[in-house]
Structures are given as structure tokens and as C-alpha cells.
Amino acid sequence: MAEIFSKTLTKDSILERVGDIAQICDARLMSFQDGRAEGVKTVEVTTGSGLSFTLVPSRNLDISRASFNGMSLAWQSAVGESSPAFYQPEGMEWLKNFFGGLLTTCGISYSSHPCEDEGESLGLHGRIANVPAQDLAIRKSWDGDDYRISVTGTMREVSVFGHNLVLERTVETSLGAKSLKITDLISNAGFRPSPVMMLYHINPGWPVMSEDSRLYASVSSSSYFDERAEKEADQWDRFSAPEADYAERCYLHSMRPGKDGIVKLCLVNEKLNIGVFEKYPAAEFPYFVQWKMMGRGEYVVGLEPGNITGNRAAMREDGSLEILEPGATRRFSIELGVLSGKDDVESFISEIRE
């Protein structure tokens, strides 16, 4: 049964109160009509709990906007929602089409910083975030007293004489939910082994992230991508107000899962008692990158589980590059949600510390 508007209600009790369930919970296919986003499809999802988010089928079913009771949860870059037609793969050009959002997916045959790997020139963070979904399916149905929503799409990273990787993504939520679940299945549909690199670029922004915020996570060890991060090794969980000329800090954390094998972490604005949480299986995501960017207008923290520690050339050289054999499938899954109120926040933090 759904817990909604301070009541636990059956299907019949809910339907007695509405003409159409879309009044309180819906997933609606829409599209932009002008600017850089003209023609870009979205699925606007509302759960009735106060959680709303925007899936972008034109961009890998990633999540651009997300809010709770009208309060933004995710950083939006100045690029905004933008057509994949503007994507440029070379070097750092990926940034010119990076909308930020609650989730931008990096991968899936390469990710991280540009490099040369086996004669192939690879740009920043891969192609998949700019690949449109096909076979899009939006399902909304009752399951007993629960009303469930799922959105599924398939993306392909493929080239002649190259890789043939298929990503099937399913995003699920339900009436009254304050979270969503993502399940990604990456299959090697080709006839040669292929690297598989996945990073979930999850981007909480103001007001969830502020000088009043703290990141709670069970970190067993950390290393650093730059000297700035190393000098602030004891400040990874704290944040400042926006700063002029701020240079990003990047950390690589080893996360300690709970007894159930699940890693849990949350970013909490401790004055507002509002937060964003992540839950994911440690076996699916062996590494965690934290991107700390306190710049003016670029005020964001990236909380990024993945299977990468660097670019493809570096990981191939040190033997850590994951290879997917022909016909094999690799699973990645995560739950993202909102914490609201002191009790909600404290309960989740206690789970992290267990």
C-alpha cells in the first residue's frame, strides 16, 4: 500500500479520491520545442510524495532535473538540456554538451580523461550519454495496492570493426516513493571481447549541497587525482560557499559496504534537514569517485560509483580494465532518493554507520 499525504491507503481508497491516478502519480512523454533542446524527448515523472524527476530518452535515459516539494536536488549546468546533435567526442569537448543533472552516465566502452588506447583516440567520459534510446517503453500499472512506474530503453555503442555493446536501462519508482531505482544491463552483442567502463556521474547541487552540508559515507581509504585534493584530504566531506577561480578536487574512495553488501551514502544540508542518498551493491561498483567543485556557477559535488580508476589506457596498462566477453552481460544497479526531515536523515546516517 502507498504511504501518501500522511496516510497508508489501498488502491480502492486512492481511486475513490481521484478521477485519474495521473492526478498524483504519472510518467508523461514530452519534448522540447526550441533552442538547443528542440526535439529532445523527456519523460516527466511524479510520484505523489513530492519527488519529481525528468528522464531524457534522447540522452540515454539519463536524469536531468530532479526536485522534492519544489526544491531542486541536482545541479544544472549552463548547457541545460541539449540535443545529442551537439555532442563532440574529441578531447574535452564532451563538456560542451554536459547538462549535469541528477545523473549523466559516463561510458560504456571508455570513460574518464582523454587518452590514446591501442591506436584509438578517446575523448572525455565516453559516448553513451549522447546516445538516444530505442524501444522506449513506459509502463504504469497497479500491482495489488501498489501503483508502479517503469521506463525502459535500449542504447547501443557500436561501430563497424569496433565494439558492439548494448545497454538496456530500466528506471523504476512507485506511488508515494521518495526514491527511484536504476538497473543497467550491458551486453556484448559482438564477436570480440570489449572493454566495459561505467561511471554514474551523480550531481547533487544547491540547496542540498551548500556550506551547511556534509557528505556521510563509510570510507575505508582514499587516494587523490590531484595535489589540491591531497592537501585537503581531511575535507572531502565538507563544503564551502561558492568561490572565485576554484579548481576542482577529485578523490577516489574505497567504500565499505554493510553486512548486506550494499554501500550507502548521503549528502545532507544539515540546516535544512534535506538530503540525497545513494544505495548500490559493492560487487557491482568496486570504486567511487568524488568530484568536488565549489566554483561560482559550477557549484556541485559529483558522487560517482563506477568500475573505473582512470582512463582506458591507464587501466589496461595496470591490468584493472574490465573486459566483457562476447555474449556476456554485466549488471549495474543503484537506488537514488531524497531524505526529508531530521528523523529521515538521522535514520539513514545510522544505517551507514552500522
Side-chain angles (χ1 to χ4, degrees):
M1 290 187 288
E3 293 186 14
I4 189 165
F5 309 132
S6 301
K7 293 184 178 182
T8 301
L9 298 174
T10 65
K11 173 184 175 181
D12 288 344
S13 296
I14 293 168
L15 293 180
E16 288 174 345
R17 291 165 166 78
V18 299
D20 185 341
I21 192 64
Q23 178 177 326
I24 52 175
C25 182
D26 197 18
R28 184 170 297 183
L29 182 63
M30 306 180 78
S31 65
F32 288 95
Q33 298 300 312
D34 66 353
R36 288 173 57 98
E38 184 174 4
V40 169
K41 294 179 181 178
T42 69
V43 180
E44 305 294 336
V45 182
T46 55
T47 70
S49 69
L51 176 65
S52 299
F53 56 93
T54 300
L55 299 172
V56 189
S58 296
R59 299 278 301 270
N60 188 55
L61 273 178
D62 280 342
I63 307 171
S64 58
R65 306 181 195 195
S67 63
F68 183 74
N69 289 337
M71 181 183 292
S72 177
L73 302 175
W75 173 69
Q76 301 285 303
S77 82
V79 173
E81 284 101 345
S82 180
S83 168
F86 293 99
Y87 169 59
Q88 298 170 269
E90 300 85 6
M92 302 294 285
E93 297 296 292
W94 182 90
L95 292 170
K96 293 181 178 178
N97 217 34
F98 175 40
F99 59 53
L102 188 64
L103 171 64
T104 294
T105 306
C106 303
I108 51 178
S109 70
Y110 68 96
S111 187
S112 193
H113 286 87
C115 68
E116 293 281 334
D117 180 55
E118 296 192 331
E120 187 178 3
S121 180
L122 306 176
L124 179 69
H125 279 329
R127 295 178 176 273
I128 200 65
N130 287 276
V131 175
Q134 60 190 64
D135 302 325
L136 182 68
I138 302 172
R139 297 181 177 89
K140 301 175 283 186
S141 61
W142 287 97
D143 178 10
D145 286 319
D146 296 313
Y147 188 71
R148 303 191 187 279
I149 290 174
S150 71
V151 183
T152 301
T154 300
M155 288 64 63
R156 299 186 70 174
E157 186 178 319
V158 60
S159 68
V160 177
F161 307 131
H163 307 296
N164 186 357
L165 295 177
V166 178
L167 168 59
E168 181 181 297
R169 169 165 288 179
T170 301
V171 182
E172 300 172 284
T173 190
S174 61
L175 175 64
K178 295 198 294 182
S179 67
L180 60 98
K181 295 180 180 179
I182 300 168
T183 302
D184 284 343
L185 300 176
I186 300 175
S187 301
N188 185 349
F191 294 93
R192 57 175 64 90
S194 174
V196 59
M197 300 181 72
M198 175 67 93
L199 184 76
Y200 284 4
H201 212 301
I202 297 162
N203 308 289
W206 184 78
V208 175
M209 196 207 71
S210 78
E211 60 270 37
D212 301 315
S213 298
R214 182 175 177 183
L215 176 58
Y216 290 89
S218 185
V219 174
S220 57
S221 63
S222 300
S223 57
Y224 314 97
F225 286 94
D226 51 70
E227 291 183 2
R228 297 180 299 273
E230 189 170 6
K231 288 179 181 178
E232 298 179 3
D234 61 345
Q235 295 296 309
W236 61 267
D237 60 342
R238 304 287 181 168
F239 308 93
S240 67
E243 300 180 22
D245 303 318
Y246 186 91
E248 63 186 3
R249 278 77 157 151
C250 291
Y251 304 81
L252 180 64
H253 298 307
S254 177
M255 294 295 199
R256 187 182 300 111
K259 294 178 182 178
D260 56 0
I262 303 298
V263 173
K264 300 174 183 178
L265 62 118
C266 63
L267 176 73
V268 177
N269 183 315
E270 297 186 312
K271 282 196 173 180
L272 299 178
N273 281 312
I274 187 80
V276 170
F277 73 79
E278 301 179 17
K279 296 182 183 180
Y280 61 87
E284 295 178 4
F285 296 95
Y287 309 114
F288 187 91
V289 175
Q290 179 190 353
W291 173 50
K292 186 176 175 181
M293 184 61 215
M294 304 287 98
R296 294 190 296 183
E298 294 160 345
Y299 188 60
V300 54
V301 59
L303 305 177
E304 307 168 19
N307 71 336
I308 73 168
T309 59
N311 62 35
R312 198 167 85 186
M315 293 188 70
R316 190 186 297 278
E317 183 176 354
D318 68 21
S320 62
L321 181 64
E322 187 173 340
I323 302 296
L324 196 63
E325 296 297 325
T329 297
R330 174 67 152 88
R331 183 181 192 269
F332 296 92
S333 61
I334 193 167
E335 181 179 358
L336 305 176
V338 62
L339 305 171
S340 59
K342 186 175 180 180
D343 290 346
D344 213 8
V345 168
E346 290 181 350
S347 176
F348 193 87
I349 292 172
S350 69
E351 289 184 36
I352 295 173
R353 292 171 172 167
E354 286 179 354

